[in-house]
């Protein structure tokens, strides 16, 4: 009788690698729609009045904020109720770093805002990512409220009254954000860069690893991925992008206050993602557009009437509930039907 063959032991010397499967042909040209929309929005100053231009500018800034949370909630599967802390820190640093007289140097103030938000995100993420589920949500909320009360109860940023930005930052002779059109162009360009950056990140090995963590973190850890480091990196990047959005809103409004760090702001941006479609970059932008327009509609007495305008929060909440019930995949589920999901293959070299 022949002896039974010994089981083959797979060598563990070669670390696993993430090999992204090629997307379907329809997804390879997904950049066309965003580029067309970007070019169309760029024409707004040419035909729109001040009110429409200000509204579109606010939508652009909130889209950057929504995209930053999309990296966490949609790509990595980390739902946070403390994301507004990074948004508010970026805004406060943009004001505090600006000189009292004269314009601050734009690249320096911008990078300082993002770096400060990223530093706090590193601190928060290093502790909160050791928890999961509802515990993670509550820990991020606690850290956000801690930052909120630092600015609310101290004179660091003017207390509960907030603080004003005297002169908007600029690059002398190149960029001056004092002008309405100049800031609109700068904000729109920033949105385009952030969108392109996140699109490339999602297609990279790092992005596919985050997608694998979202689907099954235990399996990713079993094949050799140190998921904690990946999640922390995503948390810090998302915090830096939220700080970038805070910088933009501070420069746009010329004023910041502690309410920017409140948990309501975190809930608002999360509602944008749910309304637009969680898990899609387009959904973050569409959700920011839809949420802002609905809020503007219901809060305007001229458009919605006095009764609805006096209770616009109730009308907005009912509308969002109806949209989520009717469209579980968000608004992008209507314009872009479900396609074959991109798979993440974990490849192990057995030839060693």
């Amino acid at each position: 009788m022949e002896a039974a063959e010994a089981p083959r032991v797979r060598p563990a010397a070669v670390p696993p690698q993430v090999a992204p499967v090629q997307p379907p042909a329809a997804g390879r040209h997904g950049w066309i729609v965003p580029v067309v929309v970007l070019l169309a929005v760029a024409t707004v100053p040419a035909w729109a009045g001040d009110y429409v231009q200000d509204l579109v500018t606010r939508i652009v800034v909130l889209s950057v904020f929504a995209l930053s949370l999309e990296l966490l909630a949609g790509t990595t599967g980390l739902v946070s109720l403390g994301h507004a802390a990074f948004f508010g820190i970026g805004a406060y640093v943009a004001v505090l770093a600006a000189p009292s007289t004269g314009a601050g140097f734009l690249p320096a103030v911008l990078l300082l805002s993002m770096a400060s938000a990223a530093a706090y995100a590193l601190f928060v993420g290093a502790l909160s990512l050791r928890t999961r589920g509802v515990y993670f949500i509550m820990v991020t909320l606690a850290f956000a409220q801690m930052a909120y009360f630092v600015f609310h109860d101290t004179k660091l940023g003017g207390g509960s009254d907030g603080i004003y930005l005297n002169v908007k930052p600029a690059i002398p002779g190149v960029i001056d954000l004092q002008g309405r059109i100049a800031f609109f162009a700068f904000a729109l360009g920033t949105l385009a860069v952030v969108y392109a950056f996140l699109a490339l990140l999602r297609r990279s090995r790092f992005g596919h690893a985050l997608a694998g963590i979202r689907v099954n973190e235990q399996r990713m850890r079993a094949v050799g991925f140190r998921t904690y480091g990946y999640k922390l990196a995503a948390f810090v990047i998302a915090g830096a992008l939220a700080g970038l959005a805070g910088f933009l809103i501070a420069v746009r409004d010329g004023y910041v206050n502690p309410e920017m760090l409140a948990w309501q702001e975190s809930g608002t941006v999360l509602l944008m993602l749910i309304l637009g479609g969680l898990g899609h970059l387009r959904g973050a932008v569409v959700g920011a557009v839809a949420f802002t327009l609905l809020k503007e509609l219901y809060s305007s007495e001229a458009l919605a009437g006095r009764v609805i305008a006096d209770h616009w929060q109730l009308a907005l909440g009912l509308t969002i509930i109806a949209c989520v019930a009717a469209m579980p995949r968000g608004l992008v589920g209507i314009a872009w039907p479900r396609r074959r999901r991109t798979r993440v293959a974990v490849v192990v070299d057995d030839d060693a």
Side-chain angles (χ1 to χ4, degrees), residues 150-192:
V150 167
F151 289 101
H152 186 276
D153 295 346
T154 68
K155 298 299 181 181
L156 178 62
S160 59
D161 295 331
I163 187 173
Y164 287 90
L165 177 64
N166 296 323
V167 183
K168 297 180 180 180
I171 301 178
V174 181
I175 300 177
D176 185 4
L177 299 183
Q178 293 288 351
R180 187 191 304 270
I181 296 179
F183 179 77
F184 176 83
F186 181 80
L188 186 62
T190 301
L191 173 60

Side-chain angles (χ1 to χ4, degrees), residues 23-343:
R28 297 172 187 169
H29 305 289
W31 56 269
I32 296 179
V33 173
V35 170
V36 171
V37 173
L38 177 68
L39 295 176
V41 175
T43 66
V44 168
W47 54 266
D50 293 345
Y51 170 76
V52 174
Q53 189 173 329
D54 286 342
L55 180 62
V56 174
T57 303
R58 180 169 181 81
I59 291 174
V60 168
V61 175
L62 291 178
S63 296
V64 176
F65 188 26
L67 285 170
S68 69
L69 184 58
E70 168 61 28
L71 176 61
L72 274 186
T75 303
T76 317
L78 299 173
V79 179
S80 170
L81 271 182
H83 206 60
F86 316 126
F87 178 69
I89 289 174
Y92 265 97
V93 172
V95 177
L96 295 174
S100 56
T101 58
F105 188 54
L106 177 59
V109 178
L110 175 60
L111 291 177
L112 189 58
S113 295
M114 295 181 65
S116 300
Y120 190 64
L122 178 62
F123 169 70
V124 175
L127 299 176
S128 62
L129 287 174
R130 301 183 185 278
T131 62
R132 296 182 183 179
V134 67
Y135 301 102
F136 173 79
I137 296 175
M138 298 308 297
V139 170
T140 56
L141 174 61
F143 276 113
Q145 289 301 102
M146 182 178 68
Y148 166 81
F149 284 109
V150 167
F151 289 101
H152 186 276
D153 295 346
T154 68
K155 298 299 181 181
L156 178 62
S160 59
D161 295 331
I163 187 173
Y164 287 90
L165 177 64
N166 296 323
V167 183
K168 297 180 180 180
I171 301 178
V174 181
I175 300 177
D176 185 4
L177 299 183
Q178 293 288 351
R180 187 191 304 270
I181 296 179
F183 179 77
F184 176 83
F186 181 80
L188 186 62
T190 301
L191 173 60
V193 171
V194 171
Y195 191 99
F197 168 73
L198 291 179
L200 292 175
L201 186 145
R202 286 163 64 97
R203 288 180 171 87
S204 66
R205 294 181 183 274
F206 176 74
H208 284 280
L210 295 181
I213 292 172
R214 183 192 71 243
V215 174
N216 194 323
E217 182 180 355
Q218 184 176 0
R219 180 175 297 177
M220 294 294 289
R221 192 184 299 112
V223 297
F225 284 91
R226 298 180 178 179
T227 59
Y228 177 82
Y230 282 93
K231 292 191 295 183
L232 182 59
F235 200 91
V236 173
I237 294 173
L241 295 179
L244 173 59
F247 167 85
L248 292 175
I249 201 70
V251 175
R252 173 189 177 272
D253 296 340
Y255 169 76
V256 295
N257 64 71
E259 298 304 320
M260 299 177 65
L261 293 86
W263 68 269
Q264 292 91 336
E265 289 294 326
S266 298
T268 296
V269 70
L270 186 59
L271 284 177
M272 292 179 187
L273 295 184
I274 296 173
L275 183 61
L278 193 63
H280 305 271
L281 295 181
R282 292 171 178 172
V285 178
V286 171
V289 173
F291 186 91
T292 305
L293 293 181
L294 286 173
K295 180 179 178 181
E296 195 71 17
L297 170 65
Y298 290 138
S299 62
S300 174
E301 187 174 335
L303 296 175
R306 183 176 181 179
V307 175
I308 295 180
D310 290 341
H311 305 86
W312 65 267
Q313 295 95 335
L314 176 61
L316 180 61
L318 292 175
T319 302
I320 292 177
I321 291 174
C323 290
V324 172
M327 299 171 290
R329 297 184 59 238
L331 295 173
V332 294
I334 300 176
W336 292 278
R338 182 185 296 272
R339 295 199 298 262
R340 179 173 62 88
R341 293 182 178 178
T342 302
R343 299 188 302 275

